[in-house]
Amino acid sequence: MEMGKSFTKQEAAVLEEIIFNRRDVRGNHFSQKEVGDEILDKLLSAAIHAPSVGFSQPWEFVVIKNDAIKQQVKESFNEENQKAKLLFKNEKEDLSPNNEKESLYARLKLEGITEAPLNLAVFYKPSASPVLGQTSMKEAGLYSVVCAIQNIWLMARALNIGVGWVSILDPEKVKCILNAPPQNQLIAYLCIGWVDKFLHRPELEELNWEKRKEKQAVVYYDTYL
Amino acid sequence: MEMGKSFTKQEAAVLEEIIFNRRDVRGNHFSQKEVGDEILDKLLSAAIHAPSVGFSQPWEFVVIKNDAIKQQVKESFNEENQKAKLLFKNEKEDLSPNNEKESLYARLKLEGITEAPLNLAVFYKPSASPVLGQTSMKEAGLYSVVCAIQNIWLMARALNIGVGWVSILDPEKVKCILNAPPQNQLIAYLCIGWVDKFLHRPELEELNWEKRKEKQAVVYYDTYL
């Protein structure tokens, strides 16, 4: 009887190390070195082996190497980030009267759209007919696509390739730039490339923007009460 | 200079094998054998090392072992699945006049809530203040939680533990059963346990409910046009 592959403790430890060493990489750490087709193929294979609700595989991927297209996406980032800067200026003034953190947001490098040799726009494509498992929680379709993205991110890290997820974008503008079908939904815009280094800790932790939460602070047993 | 860990080709191949062998496990394949605390701890560690927008770590986990609570969740599944059955009865009648698939949905085992020794409800907890990276695409917070879930799923598979994601639930009823704070959003309800076997292919592929999509059918270059 076929029981399915049994993994060893050493193999589980490899996965744990990949998970612990995965980072969000921004433009200040990408190198210009091209990402080969063999690597792109491995990333996409990892993606399409993600779980999906009702085995619907509701994902579509746009691989972007064209500089003019990247530049248009970068313009959407710039517009959205201008708005965001104002939010955080006000926010951090409230929190830190010593003004130390006020301008931190403005100094952060938050994307690598033009620096990364490869960009990947990841879309959810809704089904025209009912999908098994998606009848009570419609959003499960979106979540399938996110599972594919996390597979890409981990596989990239295992191949020593950096990934950064840019969410400071107007998704409708990005759809328009890429001529996406109107029913598709942009889930993520990823910047992908070789890196000069992977940081030891998440950059926002290093900069003390946010602290790492302890496990016991986020785990409950049987009930929230 | 600290460059960050460099992984070998063999280590990347281990991750690839874990990704390819991950399955959604339902009640017909769970064993009653208890899942030890050491394993639960490894799953939760994998979860909290997922990427999160602005390092916001917006996840909360409810570990459920209590049979009465599982039974209440199972009742929500039963109610939602009754509604779903009607949808698929009509749907499959349209598609297959030979009646072969009509009753397939009703015969599928779609969850393992009471069979799995461990259930895990995973929530998104919104932030009261603006989150870096979440200002243009609010949904990025939900997606961070899904990345944590995919980390759990892969780590479980590497430890030879099965996971099934149940989305045929009324999320508001589950919140009520678990006394969840009103602002929290249920992202996933997972059934976790040792298994008698892992299927070679996804069950819905084996049963020909859906076919696996080819990579070239879901990948575009630079534009959808």
Side-chain angles (χ1 to χ4, degrees):
Chain A
M1 190 195 204
E2 170 67 79
M3 301 297 288
K5 161 96 183 164
S6 184
F7 290 99
T8 65
K9 280 192 179 177
Q10 288 73 26
E11 289 169 321
V14 168
L15 173 62
E16 194 169 56
E17 219 178 357
I18 295 167
I19 286 174
F20 288 1
N21 282 279
R22 185 210 46 76
R23 291 289 166 268
D24 190 281
V25 175
R26 289 84 183 268
N28 45 338
H29 291 298
F30 280 118
S31 98
Q32 295 291 306
K33 184 181 161 192
E34 205 197 336
V35 175
D37 284 346
E38 198 191 331
I39 284 176
L40 175 59
D41 196 62
K42 278 195 176 292
L43 300 184
L44 294 170
S45 283
I48 66 172
H49 283 84
S52 65
V53 61
F55 200 49
S56 59
Q57 309 156 77
W59 35 62
E60 289 190 338
F61 306 91
V62 184
V63 177
I64 300 151
K65 295 185 184 180
N66 180 293
D67 286 332
I69 293 175
K70 288 180 187 173
Q71 192 53 48
Q72 288 178 67
V73 175
K74 176 72 180 266
E75 281 158 25
S76 174
F77 168 82
N78 287 341
E79 278 177 37
E80 295 301 312
N81 202 38
Q82 280 304 325
K83 297 182 221 164
K85 272 179 194 165
L86 298 175
L87 281 173
F88 287 98
K89 192 170 187 310
N90 301 337
E91 176 71 14
K92 293 289 168 185
E93 272 165 2
D94 290 350
L95 289 177
S96 52
N98 62 10
N99 292 355
E100 262 178 43
K101 273 187 151 185
E102 273 183 36
S103 62
L104 178 54
Y105 186 93
R107 285 181 283 121
L108 290 170
K109 174 70 176 166
L110 295 173
E111 50 70 51
I113 299 166
T114 56
E115 295 90 344
L118 212 61
N119 290 185
L120 189 68
V122 189
F123 287 91
Y124 167 66
K125 181 195 175 80
S127 167
S129 50
V131 170
L132 184 153
Q134 205 181 348
T135 49
S136 296
M137 296 177 72
K138 274 260 166 293
E139 61 273 30
L142 308 174
Y143 300 166
S144 301
V145 180
V146 179
C147 289
I149 293 163
Q150 181 63 359
N151 272 8
I152 290 174
W153 213 332
L154 292 173
M155 182 53 69
R157 184 60 188 88
L159 297 166
N160 304 303
I161 293 278
V163 171
W165 180 326
V166 189
S167 52
I168 306 173
L169 290 170
D170 177 338
E172 292 308 313
K173 285 210 177 134
V174 175
K175 279 177 64 175
C176 184
I177 294 164
L178 302 176
N179 299 292
Q183 69 276 19
N184 281 23
Q185 184 170 337
L186 180 73
I187 306 297
Y189 194 90
L190 306 179
C191 304
I192 301 175
W194 297 97
V195 300
D196 60 357
K197 65 172 178 174
F198 287 99
L199 295 179
H200 181 59
R201 298 192 301 163
E203 192 168 358
L204 293 175
E205 186 183 10
E206 300 257 9
L207 296 171
N208 209 24
W209 180 270
E210 291 288 350
K211 293 194 194 327
R212 183 175 284 283
K213 292 182 183 174
E214 297 294 324
K215 203 181 296 167
Q216 54 268 37
V218 295
V219 180
Y220 296 80
Y221 294 89
D222 281 324
T223 171
Y224 265 97
L225 290 185
Chain B
M1 190 194 206
E2 171 66 81
M3 301 297 288
K5 161 95 184 163
S6 184
F7 290 99
T8 64
K9 280 192 178 177
Q10 288 72 25
E11 289 170 320
V14 168
L15 173 62
E16 193 168 58
E17 219 178 356
I18 295 166
I19 287 174
F20 288 1
N21 282 279
R22 186 211 45 76
R23 290 290 165 269
D24 189 281
V25 175
R26 289 83 183 268
N28 45 337
H29 291 299
F30 280 118
S31 98
Q32 295 291 306
K33 184 181 162 192
E34 204 196 336
V35 175
D37 285 346
E38 198 191 331
I39 284 176
L40 175 59
D41 195 63
K42 279 196 176 290
L43 301 184
L44 293 171
S45 283
I48 66 172
H49 283 84
S52 65
V53 61
F55 200 50
S56 57
Q57 309 157 78
W59 35 61
E60 289 190 338
F61 307 90
V62 185
V63 177
I64 300 152
K65 295 185 184 180
N66 180 294
D67 286 332
I69 293 174
K70 287 180 187 172
Q71 192 53 48
Q72 288 178 68
V73 175
K74 177 72 180 267
E75 281 158 26
S76 174
F77 168 82
N78 287 342
E79 278 177 36
E80 296 301 312
N81 202 38
Q82 280 304 325
K83 297 182 222 165
K85 273 179 192 166
L86 298 175
L87 281 173
F88 288 98
K89 192 169 188 308
N90 300 337
E91 175 71 13
K92 293 289 167 184
E93 272 166 2
D94 290 351
L95 289 176
S96 52
N98 62 11
N99 292 353
E100 262 177 43
K101 273 186 152 187
E102 273 183 37
S103 62
L104 178 54
Y105 186 93
R107 285 180 283 122
L108 290 170
K109 174 69 175 165
L110 294 173
E111 50 70 51
I113 298 166
T114 56
E115 294 90 344
L118 211 61
N119 290 184
L120 188 68
V122 189
F123 287 91
Y124 167 66
K125 180 195 176 82
S127 167
S129 49
V131 170
L132 184 153
Q134 205 181 349
T135 49
S136 296
M137 296 177 72
K138 273 261 166 295
E139 62 273 30
L142 308 173
Y143 300 166
S144 301
V145 181
V146 179
C147 289
I149 292 163
Q150 181 63 359
N151 272 8
I152 290 174
W153 213 332
L154 292 173
M155 182 52 69
R157 184 60 188 88
L159 296 166
N160 305 304
I161 293 278
V163 170
W165 179 326
V166 188
S167 52
I168 306 173
L169 290 171
D170 177 339
E172 291 309 312
K173 285 209 177 136
V174 175
K175 278 177 65 174
C176 184
I177 294 164
L178 302 177
N179 298 291
Q183 70 276 18
N184 281 23
Q185 185 171 336
L186 181 73
I187 306 297
Y189 193 90
L190 306 178
C191 303
I192 301 175
W194 296 96
V195 300
D196 60 356
K197 65 171 178 174
F198 287 98
L199 296 178
H200 181 59
R201 298 193 300 162
E203 192 168 358
L204 294 175
E205 186 183 11
E206 301 257 9
L207 296 170
N208 209 24
W209 180 269
E210 291 288 349
K211 293 194 194 327
R212 183 175 284 284
K213 292 182 183 174
E214 297 294 324
K215 203 182 294 167
Q216 53 269 36
V218 294
V219 180
Y220 296 81
Y221 294 89
D222 282 323
T223 172
Y224 265 98
L225 290 185

